[in-house]
């Protein structure tokens, strides 16, 4: 079911309140960790306490390279569950922190700092309107009750030690909140398999009773806990008119969720999976459709003052048709270094951080980039110590870097691009701006612009991007213009001279210049500061062109097409005569596309630059 159809379904049954089941995903925007984040933090702690000297090398969990290193170590032990297996959460919670007190201490800082975000702040309004009757949650963060207190709505909290409240008669302007895993503040924290299997019979029966009488909306829950999924399997294995709406994040449906939906449908129940942008988006849509009067005004204000997700345009897609031609690109696969240094620096508070870093280390000593929690560097450790001196709090630590880090983080792409450019300049004894371009020291031609004679140097610009989920380097031949005294030409003169050289080139000339650079730079090891190694593949990416009416390429050629493009015929054009009173069928100029001629455009479903 689509998200808009779901909202209409709830709205048309406005006199029929629903109960909600919330999982950890609902609390992420409020500052609570996702189940996946908890798992990785526990894995990291287990790794570090077994390998104390490697603590700094796995300090950045956001990097896939760090996670891969930890997972490899766990897999080698032979007794840890496989990655992404259903039992990971329960296993690592107990393995990392064996006692309930330890687990409570782990979550305490998160709970203390969490603040109800949009979805939670809208829930009390939905309860006031009679749309939401009760909230059942696997979370122990107290966010629902805190949101109710802020909105002056009575919250009836039900936990392991207050089970009898679950059967309390419902009263208007109150919301019943049931913590299925035990509330963080009052109850024994239940987050291991043994404990989850002992779900209290009273809560189980009351939940089953609720599901027989009311529709259920699930949000932020992936079906990780077997005991809760058993309840849902039992509830939706019975014939009943109450419906199930499972609001998931994105299109992918986990196997446990598929099983519950299938079970419900097998007995004639209405059960739907709704792909959403998360809990906040679901509640925002419901509130804006369901609420009226003052409640609607409050909802709009709540949404307006909160950070909203910025949605980009839908990605362009080419239909899966066979290619009729191949186009060679100027994008080349790039092998990058697998580790970089992480620096812990003491940067003065009253300075511009970037300027301060640039003042301390030059590109010839090393390349650096500022991150949220430190600085990454491609350099020699001795150069780093010499450059930063006492500002370096500890010895530079090597951290793993994966292809996924490169393709996802623009800061890391900048670091690698600049390190590669500096390495090429040093290795081939050519000049560079240390940002995007290299050029030959000797000029190959001269040109006059506005009565000034300039020397032209063959140059190459670099752009690092992700294609096919792999790092690629786009190489673009250029020229650098200099005055006879060696000074670089100004921006306007450079632009005019570059257009004069490359503005009207044919593909064969461009390709010859590209090949001149390609033969020098590809299929060799390019060594940067500190021994970091780059390698540019010799063979570029090819795109497959799809053109109506053309015969498809043979299958042995089709396999080379890594990107797809459409040849789109432009509309026939009719021009107006200069007197404005008649149409001109054929303007008689080759620069126009009239009714008797057509123009074609090539549209690619990628971000590569093709030549």
């Amino acid at each position: 079911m689509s998200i808009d159809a779901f909202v209409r379904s709830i709205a048309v049954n406005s006199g029929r309140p629903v109960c909600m089941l919330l999982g950890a995903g609902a609390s992420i925007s409020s500052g609570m960790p996702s189940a996946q984040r908890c798992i990785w933090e526990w894995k990291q702690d287990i790794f570090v306490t077994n390998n104390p000297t490697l603590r700094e090398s796995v300090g950045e969990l956001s990097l896939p390279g760090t996670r891969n290193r930890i997972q490899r170590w766990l897999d080698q032990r032979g007794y840890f569950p496989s990655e992404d297996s259903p039992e990971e959460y329960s296993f690592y919670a107990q393995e990392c922190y064996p006692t309930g007190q330890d687990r409570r201490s782990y979550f305490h800082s998160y709970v203390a700092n969490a603040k109800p975000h949009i979805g939670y702040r809208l829930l009390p309004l939905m309860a006031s309107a009679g749309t939401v009757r009760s909230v059942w949650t696997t979370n122990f963060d107290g966010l629902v009750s805190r949101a109710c207190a802020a909105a002056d709505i009575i919250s009836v909290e039900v936990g392991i030690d207050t089970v009898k409240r679950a059967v309390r008669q419902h009263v208007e302007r109150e919301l019943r909140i049931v913590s299925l895993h035990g509330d963080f503040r009052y109850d024994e924290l239940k987050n291991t398999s043994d404990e989850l299997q002992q779900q209290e019979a009273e809560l189980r029966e009351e939940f089953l009773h609720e599901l027989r009488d009311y529709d259920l909306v699930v949000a932020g829950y992936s079906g990780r806990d077997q005991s809760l999924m058993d309840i849902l399997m039992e509830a939706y294995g019975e014939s009943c008119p109450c419906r199930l709406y499972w609001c998931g994040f994105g299109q992918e449906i986990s196997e446990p969720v598929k099983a519950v939906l299938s079970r419900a449908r097998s007995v004639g129940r209405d059960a739907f999976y709704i792909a959403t942008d998360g809990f906040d988006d679901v509640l925002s849509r419901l509130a804006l459709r369901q609420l009226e009067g003052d409640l609607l005004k409050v909802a709009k204000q709540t949404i307006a003052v909160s950070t909203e997700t910025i949605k980009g345009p839908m990605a362009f897609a080419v239909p899966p048709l066979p290619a009729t031609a191949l186009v060679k690109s100027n994008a080349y696969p790039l092998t990058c270094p697998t580790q970089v240094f992480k620096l812990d620096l003491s940067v003065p508070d009253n300075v511009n951080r970037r300027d301060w870093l640039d003042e301390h280390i030059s590109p010839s000593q090393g390349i650096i980039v500022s991150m949220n929690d430190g600085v990454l560097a491609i350099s020699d450790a001795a150069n780093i110590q010499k450059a930063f001196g006492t500002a370096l709090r500890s010895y530079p630590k090597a951290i793993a870097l994966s292809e996924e880090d490169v393709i996802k983080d623009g800061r890391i792409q900048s670091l690698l691009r600049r390190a590669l450019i500096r390495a090429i300049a040093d290795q081939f004894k050519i000049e560079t701006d240390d940002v995007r371009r290299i050029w030959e020291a000797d000029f190959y031609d001269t040109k006059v612009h506005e009565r000034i004679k300039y020397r032209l140097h063959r140059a190459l610009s670099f752009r690092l991007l992700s294609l096919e989920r792999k790092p690629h380097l786009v190489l673009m031949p250029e020229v650098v213009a200099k005055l006879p005294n060696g000074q670089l030409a100004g921006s306007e003169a450079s632009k005019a001279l570059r257009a004069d050289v490359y503005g009207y080139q044919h593909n064969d000339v461009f390709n010859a210049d590209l090949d001149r650079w390609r033969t020098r730079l590809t299929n060799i090891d390019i060594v940067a500061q500190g021994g970091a190694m780059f390698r540019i593949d010799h063979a570029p990416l090819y795109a497959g062109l799809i053109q109506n009416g053309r015969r498809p390429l043979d299958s042995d050629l089709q396999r080379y097409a890594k990107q797809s493009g459409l040849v789109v015929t432009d509309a026939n054009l009719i021009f107006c005569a200069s007197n404005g009173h008649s149409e001109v069928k054929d303007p008689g100029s080759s620069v126009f596309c009239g009714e008797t001629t057509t123009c074609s455009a090539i549209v690619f479903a990628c971000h590569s630059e093709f030549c």
Side-chain angles (χ1 to χ4, degrees), residues 363-516:
S364 61
Q365 294 175 294
I367 307 299
I368 59 175
V369 67
S370 181
M371 305 293 283
N372 295 338
D373 59 345
V375 172
L376 297 185
I378 295 179
S379 180
D380 182 83
N383 283 343
I384 293 172
Q385 290 180 304
K386 182 179 178 181
F388 292 105
T390 57
L392 191 65
R393 292 196 183 102
S394 60
Y395 191 80
K397 303 295 182 182
I399 63 169
L401 200 64
S402 72
E403 287 185 343
E404 192 172 349
D405 298 325
V406 178
I407 65 179
K408 284 187 174 182
D409 198 317
R411 295 167 298 182
I412 293 178
Q413 291 173 14
S414 171
L415 174 73
L416 293 173
R417 185 192 70 246
R418 290 181 288 120
L420 173 61
I421 289 172
R422 168 48 61 175
I424 291 174
D426 291 343
Q427 193 161 322
F428 290 89
K429 309 302 180 186
I430 56 181
E431 299 178 8
T432 178
D433 62 359
D434 285 309
V435 180
R436 291 190 182 274
R437 288 190 295 173
I438 58 173
W439 59 88
E440 295 176 341
D442 298 328
F443 67 93
Y444 74 98
D445 197 4
T446 60
K447 281 187 178 292
V448 176
H449 175 68
E450 294 185 348
R451 299 182 180 182
I452 300 176
K453 188 175 183 179
Y454 292 92
R455 294 174 177 178
L456 302 185
H457 301 249
R458 288 190 176 93
L460 187 70
S461 68
F462 296 77
R463 183 170 161 222
L464 200 159
L465 46 72
S466 168
L467 294 170
E468 302 292 304
R469 296 196 59 78
K470 296 284 186 180
H472 284 74
L473 198 65
V474 174
L475 305 179
M476 183 66 69
E478 290 189 12
V479 293
V480 164
K482 288 185 177 182
L483 294 167
N485 64 2
Q487 181 181 347
L488 289 173
S491 59
E492 291 301 321
S494 295
K495 188 184 300 182
L497 291 165
R498 192 177 301 124
D500 189 34
V501 174
Y502 284 106
Y504 304 102
Q505 277 194 337
H506 296 290
N507 282 346
D508 57 342
V509 180
F510 181 96
N511 192 55
D513 284 350
L514 182 60
D515 279 344
R516 185 180 292 110

Side-chain angles (χ1 to χ4, degrees), residues 225-349:
D225 307 314
Q226 188 59 49
S227 61
L228 180 52
M229 295 305 289
D230 287 343
I231 296 175
L232 295 177
M233 288 291 282
E234 179 180 343
Y236 291 99
E238 304 172 355
S239 179
C240 176
C242 295
R243 298 165 296 179
L244 170 62
Y245 301 95
W246 202 295
C247 298
F249 188 79
Q251 299 289 340
E252 189 174 347
I253 311 176
S254 68
E255 291 302 321
V257 175
K258 286 181 182 177
V260 171
L261 295 174
S262 178
R263 179 70 174 271
R265 292 163 183 165
S266 69
V267 295
R269 301 281 293 271
D270 287 332
F272 309 98
Y273 179 83
I274 300 101
T276 76
D277 288 332
F279 174 60
D280 293 333
D281 180 60
V282 171
L283 264 293
S284 296
R285 290 171 182 268
L286 286 174
L288 293 175
R289 178 63 181 85
Q290 283 285 91
L291 301 180
E292 302 286 348
D294 291 340
L295 290 177
L296 179 58
K297 291 180 182 178
V298 175
K300 287 182 176 179
Q301 185 178 13
T302 298
I303 295 169
V305 299
S306 302
T307 303
E308 295 184 24
T309 301
I310 301 174
K311 298 178 175 62
M314 183 178 292
F316 174 75
V318 169
L321 299 173
T324 58
L326 290 177
V327 176
K328 184 176 73 172
S329 80
N330 52 341
Y332 297 81
L334 176 68
T335 301
C336 298
T338 57
Q339 68 177 27
V340 297
F341 280 124
K342 185 175 182 180
L343 314 182
D344 184 11
L345 296 172
S346 177
V347 181
D349 294 332

